[in-house]
Amino acid sequence: MWALVGRALAPWAAGARHAAASEPRAACRLFSAAELKEKPDMSRFPVEDIRNFSIIAHVDHGKSTLADRLLELTGTIDKTKKNKQVLDKLQVERERGITVKAQTASLFYSFGGKQYLLNLIDTPGHVDFSYEVSRSLSACQGVLLVVDANEGIQAQTVANFFLAFEAQLSVIPVINKIDLKNADPERVGKQIEKVFDIPSEECIKISAKLGTNVDSVLQAVIERIPPPKVHRENPLKALVFDSTFDQYRGVIANIALFDGVVSKGDKIVSAHTKKAYEVNEVGILNPNEQPTHKLYAGQVGFLIAGMKDVTEAQIGDTLHLHNHPVEPLPGFKSAKPMVFAGVYPIDQSEYNNLKSAIEKLTLNDSSVTVHRDSSLALGAGWRLGFLGLLHMEVFNQRLEQEYNASVILTTPTVPYKAVLSSAKLIKEYKEKEITIINPAQFPEKSKVTEYLEPVVLGTVITPTEYTGKIMALCQARRAIQKNMTFIDENRVMLKYLFPLNEIVVDFYDSLKSLSSGYASFDYEDAGYQAAELVKMDILLNGNMVEELVTVVHREKAYTVGKSICERLKESLPRQLYEIAIQAAVGSKVIARETVKAYRKNVLAKCYGGDITRKMKLLKRQSEGKKKLRKIGNIEIPKDAFIKVLKTQPNK
């Protein structure tokens, strides 16, 4: 997937140790604290004194803690006990204890009588944010691969290593948490040697929490990571690898300079939109924004150029000087959404506010795709594509926290494909293979030759005692085993081919509970495969509810249908007439639940008398209910929708 970017970055990343010989070497005078408060002169750092690196790891292996210690050690932030997750600026990151956005910080570090400029990027660890990691690696020449001395190599460690390997970056393995009681750095070193083919003696053993041996990490960055291979005398060529939106200043673009120099007042052009802008401010992140006079090739910083519209700062875009066009960098392969969900405002009067919030948030998180959508029950809204379920939850939480938006989120679905059968349909859709992101638009079996469902190659790393349970769980999810490797005597790595819709909702939770929290899981896209899929409609008194239409595998249709009917029965308010809730595949009803009617006691006034009088009253009542059922319109209240859509079916 990343071969293109890897090849494009190779000349910059594979890296010679020295910059062009023609470049004059600047005097290496150290910055004082007073100078740092003002605009630092970035020309003091020749290319050979710059190192750009990322920290990558599995979730909770100590990336953010190591970043905190590096910031303290270089004097970027003061040493206090409050320094926890300094680079995790979002509320959702602090609440959940995870990194969602990659964050950049420029560090000044003195070593061997010289002052070096180290640009650090702290990246997320969860599989749903791997796109964020791969974008960050494009601005680096090396990575710190952090591994927990207690947990050892886990699924995301493997995935992140191969992202860095593909981009041809130098990898420095760091074994963290050596202060823990059960830590076994020697065992972890052997795992790293076996899985990644990096000699165990190259591993740096540290405790980021206590600060033990962290200074050797900075020395290794200087000694083992090459400087960027760039040319400052060439015209400006800068890559936008991230961006945020500020209400007052417009778009703030994070840039990596491949060639040239940029300063305030320069006229720049976007290679993507061809629009010209005047640079209002440039600077470094230290870790907060710190303006500088100029930014030079090889450096990483931010740029503000009066981009007012969120669509103007495309991530992966190349910026160049006006009248000096350059060959655009290949940019990034667009992220491939794995999960789709409908997003609707709780109140339609909030539609425009929600639209603005989604636009601003998708600029900040470019891996989300947006399609307009509408529904009879929920009104106008959008169908958004996410990289995973956690990504969807975090996006929803950020909408609520940062933009005060309340939304209804529908059941997540995955993108299916259908191969059309007739020439007439191919002409109508203008392609033979169509992608379906909304289950309501799933074509009938008569129109297609076959259905395709997305599959992923999943990696599970688990202690050996849980292997049997986990293999049974994978088989229940229609997975096909591809490989099984013993990392050491206690840990095993399993590779399975999973249908995406089987793992997207609750697989991770089931895996964690089966393995007492020890197993880890990561997956990568593996294309599509043919499958027996059916569209399941939910009917209320014979009328279809479009929002509850789902696509399921034929084998699981009954289980999922029964589950949805049961939850609807609990959520729907009773009426004066009976409501039949049915799950149907085509014309065949496969599951049914009934909401009983309220019944007025029409016999209350009959204290005695002939039975025919009572029968007459009951007959009239039942006829009235039949008539009411014909003309009665069942409106599902929004809170009932929310209950059904938020609770996931048991698979």
Side-chain angles (χ1 to χ4, degrees):
M1 170 185 171
W2 275 84
L4 249 177
V5 180
R7 280 201 297 275
L9 293 169
W12 200 54
R17 290 267 169 195
H18 298 288
S22 60
E23 190 173 307
R25 182 173 175 79
C28 284
R29 195 168 65 76
L30 305 188
F31 280 128
S32 67
E35 282 176 306
L36 286 173
K37 281 181 184 173
E38 293 176 10
K39 291 187 178 181
D41 180 6
M42 302 308 288
S43 64
R44 291 187 190 165
F45 294 100
V47 177
E48 60 265 31
D49 292 348
I50 297 173
R51 302 288 183 273
N52 300 320
F53 68 101
S54 272
I55 305 180
I56 57 173
H58 187 81
V59 183
D60 205 29
H61 278 206
K63 291 180 306 302
S64 297
T65 312
L66 176 58
D68 293 343
R69 295 296 84 78
L70 295 178
L71 290 170
E72 285 176 4
L73 201 63
T74 53
T76 310
I77 56 174
D78 297 326
K79 285 190 182 182
T80 68
K81 288 183 179 176
K82 291 180 183 175
N83 285 342
K84 287 181 181 175
Q85 292 176 272
V86 173
L87 292 180
D88 291 348
K89 296 173 184 175
L90 301 176
Q91 188 181 338
V92 62
E93 293 179 315
R94 293 184 170 274
E95 282 176 8
R96 289 174 175 254
I98 57 172
T99 304
V100 169
K101 282 288 297 171
Q103 297 289 351
T104 310
S106 294
L107 321 175
F108 302 108
Y109 182 62
S110 302
F111 177 67
K114 283 197 286 182
Q115 193 171 38
Y116 288 86
L117 172 64
L118 311 178
N119 293 311
L120 149 73
I121 303 176
D122 180 26
T123 61
H126 196 279
V127 56
D128 285 11
F129 304 103
S130 57
Y131 183 63
E132 197 77 26
V133 178
S134 47
R135 285 209 326 265
S136 304
L137 296 184
S138 66
C140 300
Q141 287 77 52
V143 293
L144 298 177
L145 181 70
V146 180
V147 186
D148 189 319
N150 192 21
E151 301 283 348
I153 286 177
Q154 293 195 290
Q156 196 63 30
T157 318
V158 179
N160 282 333
F161 170 80
F162 284 110
L163 277 178
F165 185 74
E166 232 174 80
Q168 302 177 17
L169 307 184
S170 305
V171 177
I172 301 173
V174 176
I175 299 174
N176 189 19
K177 304 190 184 182
I178 57 168
D179 58 307
L180 292 181
K181 188 180 173 185
N182 297 324
D184 190 350
E186 304 306 320
R187 174 176 61 84
V188 175
K190 286 174 186 169
Q191 287 180 8
I192 289 170
E193 191 163 341
K194 182 172 182 180
V195 179
F196 303 138
D197 204 22
I198 300 172
S200 55
E201 54 270 17
E202 285 188 20
C203 300
I204 303 168
K205 301 176 181 69
I206 66 160
S207 166
K209 188 178 178 182
L210 303 179
T212 313
N213 206 25
V214 174
D215 52 346
S216 58
V217 174
L218 286 172
Q219 290 170 24
V221 165
I222 291 167
E223 289 165 358
R224 297 198 218 167
I225 294 176
K229 195 179 180 187
V230 294
H231 303 284
R232 291 185 178 174
E233 61 276 10
N234 289 0
L236 172 70
K237 186 194 279 190
L239 172 76
V240 179
F241 67 91
D242 203 357
S243 54
T244 50
F245 187 80
D246 186 288
Q247 188 172 344
Y248 304 105
R249 298 185 293 170
V251 175
I252 302 169
N254 283 15
I255 57 168
L257 272 75
F258 281 60
D259 284 325
V261 182
V262 66
S263 61
K264 184 178 176 179
D266 283 354
K267 204 166 185 187
I268 58 165
V269 177
S270 153
H272 178 73
T273 62
K274 306 290 185 234
K275 287 188 180 178
Y277 306 94
E278 188 176 321
V279 178
N280 300 332
E281 194 177 321
V282 293
I284 55 172
L285 293 152
N286 193 26
N288 300 319
E289 288 165 19
Q290 179 162 8
T292 62
H293 296 287
K294 293 183 178 183
L295 279 180
Y296 295 83
Q299 296 171 1
V300 174
F302 72 90
L303 175 143
I304 301 171
M307 298 178 186
K308 296 295 179 198
D309 190 357
V310 291
T311 56
E312 291 177 54
Q314 292 288 331
I315 286 178
D317 194 2
T318 304
L319 302 177
H320 60 82
L321 289 174
H322 191 56
N323 297 331
H324 284 88
V326 293
E327 184 71 30
L329 296 157
F332 304 105
K333 196 172 179 180
S334 56
K336 200 170 183 183
M338 296 289 211
V339 178
F340 286 88
V343 172
Y344 300 90
I346 282 180
D347 185 347
Q348 277 298 309
S349 63
E350 291 291 309
Y351 178 83
N352 286 332
N353 293 344
L354 183 58
K355 183 184 176 188
S356 167
I358 287 174
E359 280 177 356
K360 286 170 186 170
L361 203 47
T362 46
L363 166 76
N364 194 254
D365 187 351
S366 63
S367 49
V368 177
T369 58
V370 183
H371 303 270
R372 293 281 294 278
D373 201 5
S374 65
S375 135
L376 289 171
L378 303 173
W382 299 266
R383 197 151 196 90
L384 303 184
F386 302 98
L387 300 181
L389 209 65
L390 178 69
H391 187 205
M392 182 181 91
E393 284 174 22
V394 165
F395 189 87
N396 186 29
Q397 199 172 333
R398 288 184 69 186
L399 271 180
E400 289 175 3
Q401 289 175 349
E402 295 173 33
Y403 298 97
N404 208 19
S406 299
V407 299
I408 298 171
L409 210 60
T410 67
T411 312
T413 60
V414 299
Y416 296 100
K417 285 188 178 178
V419 181
L420 300 172
S421 54
S422 71
K424 186 182 173 186
L425 285 166
I426 294 168
K427 193 177 179 184
E428 186 186 324
Y429 284 102
K430 297 189 174 108
E431 54 188 345
K432 189 176 182 183
E433 207 173 78
I434 58 167
T435 303
I436 305 118
I437 60 171
N438 189 341
Q441 293 161 1
F442 200 73
E444 294 167 22
K445 183 70 181 144
S446 59
K447 294 182 177 179
V448 299
T449 51
E450 65 175 350
Y451 295 118
L452 305 170
E453 67 176 345
V455 287
V456 292
L457 185 64
T459 305
V460 180
I461 295 182
T462 173
T464 46
E465 62 261 36
Y466 303 111
T467 311
K469 288 181 186 175
I470 288 169
M471 288 171 90
L473 171 70
C474 295
Q475 280 165 1
R477 300 301 177 101
R478 301 191 287 123
I480 301 161
Q481 189 172 339
K482 290 290 180 189
N483 197 358
M484 183 174 176
T485 314
F486 284 88
I487 295 173
D488 58 26
E489 62 274 12
N490 300 320
R491 295 174 77 77
V492 64
M493 180 160 71
L494 303 165
K495 284 197 182 286
Y496 276 92
L497 202 62
F498 287 95
L500 181 59
N501 68 337
E502 293 286 346
I503 63 162
V504 85
V505 174
D506 59 349
F507 177 78
Y508 193 70
D509 296 340
S510 307
L511 181 74
K512 284 290 180 188
S513 57
L514 274 181
S515 64
S516 308
Y518 286 112
S520 63
F521 179 63
D522 177 75
Y523 61 82
E524 58 185 272
D525 183 28
Y528 281 77
Q529 70 177 16
E532 286 271 318
L533 300 173
V534 290
K535 175 181 160 188
M536 188 168 67
D537 299 324
I538 302 297
L539 312 173
L540 295 181
N541 283 355
N543 297 320
M544 190 178 87
V545 184
E546 193 180 282
E547 293 75 23
L548 298 177
V549 173
T550 51
V551 174
V552 289
H553 194 269
R554 191 177 287 281
E555 290 172 11
K556 302 210 169 186
Y558 170 72
T559 322
V560 176
K562 187 159 179 59
S563 162
I564 293 176
C565 289
E566 283 169 357
R567 290 204 317 279
L568 257 179
K569 183 184 177 182
E570 289 166 17
S571 308
L572 280 181
R574 284 172 71 186
Q575 307 287 340
L576 290 170
Y577 50 92
E578 198 176 79
I579 303 173
I581 305 165
Q582 296 168 311
V585 173
S587 56
K588 185 183 177 185
V589 174
I590 56 170
R592 173 179 169 138
E593 292 290 335
T594 306
V595 179
K596 294 291 182 193
Y598 283 122
R599 181 169 176 265
K600 184 181 175 184
N601 188 1
V602 291
L603 305 180
K605 57 190 175 184
C606 300
Y607 291 107
D610 194 75
I611 186 71
T612 53
R613 188 173 168 215
K614 292 182 181 178
M615 295 304 291
K616 183 181 166 188
L617 288 168
L618 288 169
K619 189 180 177 186
R620 191 185 295 168
Q621 185 187 36
S622 72
E623 282 172 358
K625 283 190 183 289
K626 273 184 192 169
K627 187 180 176 185
L628 193 60
R629 187 172 170 180
K630 278 182 188 172
I631 61 169
N633 185 19
I634 307 162
E635 278 200 8
I636 306 179
K638 280 194 176 168
D639 57 343
F641 254 119
I642 294 166
K643 276 183 198 169
V644 176
L645 294 173
K646 280 194 175 175
T647 316
Q648 302 305 335
N650 297 316
K651 296 201 174 180

